Amino acid sequence: MDCPDGCSWVVTVEDGKPTSMRGNPDHPYTRGALCVKVNRYLEHTQASDRILHPMRRVGPKGSGQFERITWDEALEEISVRLRGIVEEFGGEAIWPYQGTGSLGYIQGCEGAAGRRFWNTLGASKHWLNICSSAGSIGLTRANGTAGGMDPENFTQSKLILLWGTNTLTSGHHLWKFIQEGRSNGAYVVSIDPIRTRTADQADEHLAIRPGTDAALALGLLHVVLAEGTQDEEYLAEHTEGWDDFQQEILKYPPARVAEITGIPEETIHSLGMRLAHTRPTAIRATMGIQRHAGGGTALRTLAAIPGVTGDWRHPGGGVAYSTSGHVHLNIDTREDLLAEPVRVLTMTRLASELPSVKCLWVYGANPVASTSDTNRIRRELERDDLFTVVMEQFPTDTVDYADIVLPATMQTEHMDLHAGYGHMYLMWNEPAAAPAGESLSTAETFRRLAAHMGMTEPSLFDSDLELAEQLLASGHPSMEGITLDRLRKEGWVRMNYPKPFAPFAEGFPTNSGRLRFPRAGKAYVPPATAGADGLTLITPAAHTFINTTFANNPELLRRAKEPVVLVNPADAAARGLVDGQRARVHNHNGEFLADVEVSDRVAPGVVASPKGRWPKLSPGNSNPNAVVDERDADMGRGAVYHDNIVEVTPCASPGTP
């Protein structure tokens, strides 16, 4: 699923049925542990609301009223509609809208499952920007890759900066390595607008103003320069643009940075001193840090810190954002099947780009709950001339708008090849159970649809095992000796990287072989909310859901309780808000309802409400994405979930809309 830990599971099967599941104790990263979410996975596969058969809409769009049909009926109706759309409007009128519900390389988005089929039709391409694109591009501009340090090397770190990441909620397996580093003398700092459960466990918490991370990075480097502890040898041998970047750093003394970030000047100076004199320093930054107007720049400037201090040369030093850049599988989407170049549609621009689309095909995604500006999306999905197909496991809000619903397998029911984006291992997923009901895997669905439409291109019918063999045949040194037979036998294999791994000790995969510092004036991009009236909303990950996955599980919903919005006491007093009161969180885009939690866990001017809830299972039939702008970050058209201004207004009486 969409989690960096990519945990390894062991499923016990009795009489052909899975009876228990646990974390694999032999996997070096999973180490036998699963999170509160995934612990209930087997129960989830057997849930009473599981979609088990193809269905056709019989009520108005959005009503969720369907009748059961056969697979042949579903494939025939889809085939006729797709052919008609291609003939009348061209293939680009089809939008294959794939999300991160599965990160599999055979069944999910990492391998662009289904893309060969879509290329044969000439369908539009899909830019999956919703999660990490701004940060990935920012890091790539700096380092030549978004891949950074091996998270297992946190055991060797002496200063650990958990920057815009809530490890104990989103990727808790890393915590064991942090704790081991701590036992070896590491000092742990949480830099986060919210005092999270991870911040509670850190040695120090810096409550940064949302979207100002790059400014803090420059302020810390200002102290490093004042101390004269920059690594001149590393700078000379492995970086470019240092003279200009040094002048940029000097524009950000701690006093100025304090005004930008809301962090006291003495706190910035103190942490800068630790950074200046502590080797190695590790920075863990995950996706939340880049969901604002300057998200790409934030990661690019963070990557500069170990370039200045020389931490990139040390095991246990550097930045860990995603290890996906170290995964070199052969992803062959057969671009040669396209008759001509096609347009690219952007995932978070669904509301504004959908008017030009005649078929929306959703898989691994729940855009009515997960994508920005959801009220406009709903209006577009109600169009009579839009043919919507959703491949799903459960009756999500998006399913309610479908014309045809196709039942999808779950992780224990299909083959797949995985690589967690928070560790260095490839993993094989062998099915432990037969598909529930009439559900099919993603790959099998497209094989059957291609056959029903009379397509003859051989690669459209490659089996899962053939696809796996192709993926592993990249010829990259990191894949040497990793065969499908070995993966199926052993379950997981570490890619061929040293242990410990210092990826940029001897240079970078850029054209010059050097780290590229930000150019003058390009090291900090303020958030769009800077200086605006109102409250800045951030929507962190929920402890009980993975995006919207599991948000219909009764037990996890019970544990999550009612939707809440954290409000600082000063902001609550100014608005007449009291603890436990139901309130409207609203702006020009829309509103959602939540119960007020008056708390100093957020600073004045900041409110927070966790993401992931299904609107139809929430008060007011809405969630925080109703107030999120459809707007791009500075790089990769990244999403801006933490860069929106709202107001919070009491409802008429507690508990009533």
Side-chain angles (χ1 to χ4, degrees):
M1 286 169 283
D2 190 8
C3 172
D5 291 9
C7 47
S8 177
W9 305 348
V10 177
V11 178
T12 299
V13 179
E14 298 176 358
D15 298 326
K17 295 183 178 180
T19 56
S20 66
M21 189 180 90
R22 61 191 174 99
N24 187 347
D26 298 326
H27 191 278
Y29 201 75
T30 303
R31 295 187 179 184
L34 298 177
C35 67
V36 66
K37 303 172 272 280
V38 174
N39 259 327
R40 311 193 75 85
Y41 194 82
L42 280 189
E43 169 194 301
H44 203 51
T45 65
Q46 300 159 11
S48 60
D49 57 344
R50 178 88 186 265
I51 295 173
L52 299 175
H53 310 283
M55 298 186 296
R56 178 193 293 121
R57 179 175 59 84
V58 294
K61 292 192 175 188
S63 68
Q65 298 174 27
F66 298 98
E67 64 178 359
R68 179 177 170 179
I69 58 175
T70 67
W71 265 104
D72 280 344
E73 288 174 311
L75 294 174
E76 179 61 19
E77 184 165 340
I78 290 168
S79 298
V80 170
R81 294 294 296 270
L82 289 181
R83 286 194 194 98
I85 289 168
V86 172
E87 289 173 5
E88 185 174 356
F89 303 102
E92 288 182 308
I94 301 170
W95 188 350
Y97 193 95
Q98 185 175 22
T100 59
S102 167
L103 276 82
Y105 282 84
I106 297 173
Q107 312 296 351
C109 64
E110 291 286 16
R115 190 63 231 180
R116 295 179 183 180
F117 174 84
W118 299 121
N119 284 346
T120 304
L121 286 178
S124 293
K125 290 183 178 294
H126 173 67
W127 175 231
L128 205 162
N129 68 321
I130 199 166
C131 184
S132 60
S133 63
S136 295
I137 290 176
L139 285 169
T140 300
R141 289 185 182 179
N143 298 341
T145 174
M149 63 181 291
D150 180 350
E152 292 184 57
N153 289 356
F154 276 64
T155 59
Q156 298 172 265
S157 308
K158 297 303 181 185
L159 175 61
I160 298 173
L161 306 182
L162 302 176
W163 205 322
T165 185
N166 184 7
T167 305
L168 289 173
T169 284
S170 301
H172 75 96
H173 293 89
L174 177 63
W175 193 251
K176 295 185 289 290
F177 300 95
I178 292 171
Q179 288 290 71
E180 188 173 337
R182 216 176 196 175
S183 68
N184 294 329
Y187 187 82
V188 179
V189 180
S190 170
I191 303 171
D192 198 303
I194 309 172
R195 195 173 75 247
T196 62
R197 62 182 65 216
T198 301
D200 285 340
Q201 297 299 316
D203 297 302
E204 185 177 359
H205 171 230
L206 276 62
I208 191 169
R209 192 167 285 142
T212 63
D213 307 277
L216 177 59
L218 293 165
L220 297 177
L221 287 175
H222 192 283
V223 179
V224 171
L225 290 185
E227 289 295 293
T229 55
Q230 65 269 26
D231 189 328
E232 295 287 2
E233 181 184 17
Y234 193 84
L235 286 165
E237 293 182 0
H238 299 303
T239 72
E240 62 181 68
W242 170 236
D243 289 343
D244 288 343
F245 186 55
Q246 185 174 8
Q247 294 306 308
E248 193 70 15
I249 293 169
L250 294 176
K251 299 175 185 176
Y252 289 85
R256 181 189 177 196
V257 172
E259 294 178 0
I260 296 171
T261 63
I263 301 169
E265 179 182 354
E266 57 272 21
T267 302
I268 296 169
H269 185 267
S270 174
L271 182 56
M273 291 292 287
R274 284 190 184 275
L275 176 64
H277 296 285
T278 309
R279 305 277 74 75
T281 289
I283 300 171
R284 174 61 165 171
T286 50
M287 287 64 207
I289 194 176
Q290 47 91 68
R291 290 177 179 156
H292 59 84
T297 297
L299 266 296
R300 184 171 188 178
T301 301
L302 256 66
I305 292 177
V308 175
T309 61
D311 277 301
W312 280 127
R313 72 160 82 235
H314 303 296
V319 177
Y321 177 69
S322 170
T323 55
S324 294
H326 300 308
V327 180
H328 294 282
L329 294 170
N330 175 41
I331 301 171
D332 184 7
T333 56
R334 291 298 307 275
E335 296 304 297
D336 60 301
L337 297 177
L338 281 169
E340 57 187 8
V342 295
R343 65 179 178 172
V344 179
L345 298 174
T346 302
M347 190 170 192
T348 56
R349 289 280 182 171
L350 181 60
S352 60
E353 295 186 346
L354 202 49
S356 66
V357 173
K358 298 299 181 183
C359 172
L360 181 71
W361 189 293
V362 180
Y363 54 126
N366 183 13
V368 176
S370 294
T371 305
S372 48
D373 205 354
T374 51
N375 289 328
R376 287 176 61 209
I377 291 172
R378 288 176 188 267
R379 290 194 291 270
E380 283 299 321
L381 290 175
E382 291 171 351
R383 283 171 32 212
D384 290 334
D385 66 335
L386 178 68
F387 178 56
T388 302
V389 178
V390 180
M391 298 163 64
E392 249 298 349
Q393 303 155 352
F394 294 99
T396 65
D397 292 81
T398 305
V399 163
D400 289 348
Y401 289 87
D403 294 291
I404 298 290
V405 181
L406 302 177
T409 50
M410 296 180 70
Q411 193 69 34
T412 49
E413 301 164 356
H414 58 232
M415 288 183 178
D416 215 339
L417 178 63
H418 288 274
Y421 60 92
H423 60 61
M424 306 294 286
Y425 300 89
L426 292 183
M427 297 184 296
W428 179 253
N429 189 86
E430 192 77 18
E438 294 182 280
S439 60
L440 296 179
S441 70
T442 303
E444 180 61 19
T445 297
F446 286 114
R447 283 191 287 262
R448 294 198 186 186
L449 182 55
H452 199 92
M453 294 185 70
M455 295 179 180
T456 58
E457 163 56 42
S459 68
L460 299 178
F461 305 99
D462 287 345
S463 69
D464 291 349
L465 292 176
E466 288 172 324
L467 292 169
E469 293 275 17
Q470 293 164 22
L471 285 161
L472 293 170
S474 69
H476 193 272
S478 64
M479 295 291 119
E480 186 176 349
I482 303 178
T483 64
L484 181 56
D485 287 344
R486 181 183 173 191
L487 265 178
R488 295 188 75 182
K489 179 180 178 181
E490 299 179 20
W492 53 268
V493 176
R494 181 179 169 92
M495 293 176 287
N496 293 317
Y497 291 102
K499 196 171 184 179
F501 179 43
F504 311 130
E506 302 299 330
F508 294 80
T510 58
N511 291 337
S512 65
R514 295 169 176 264
L515 182 150
R516 298 174 292 210
F517 286 122
R519 291 176 292 174
K522 301 291 186 181
Y524 170 56
V525 174
T529 54
D533 293 332
L535 302 167
T536 299
L537 172 69
I538 52 178
T539 58
H543 196 68
T544 47
F545 316 134
I546 301 177
N547 303 325
T548 66
T549 301
F550 303 120
N552 61 321
N553 182 280
E555 175 58 21
L556 293 176
L557 275 171
R558 184 191 69 79
R559 295 187 187 189
K561 301 179 181 178
E562 288 294 297
V564 299
V565 56
L566 295 177
V567 185
N568 184 271
D571 294 323
R575 291 161 175 79
L577 299 167
V578 296
D579 207 55
Q581 180 180 33
R582 180 143 298 173
R584 295 172 52 240
V585 185
H586 56 95
N587 63 13
H588 59 284
N589 293 316
E591 68 177 36
F592 67 97
L593 303 181
D595 293 342
V596 173
E597 183 176 326
V598 180
S599 173
D600 62 1
R601 288 189 174 274
V602 291
V606 177
V607 294
S609 190
K611 67 176 181 178
R613 289 182 181 268
W614 290 13
K616 67 180 181 180
L617 300 182
S618 303
N621 193 30
S622 189
N623 75 9
N625 288 329
V627 301
V628 174
D629 284 340
E630 189 191 73
R631 178 166 35 85
D632 296 340
D634 55 342
M635 299 180 195
R637 306 198 74 179
V640 293
Y641 290 104
H642 305 326
D643 196 6
N644 297 275
I645 292 292
V646 298
E647 264 304 335
V648 183
T649 305
C651 289
S653 60
T656 48

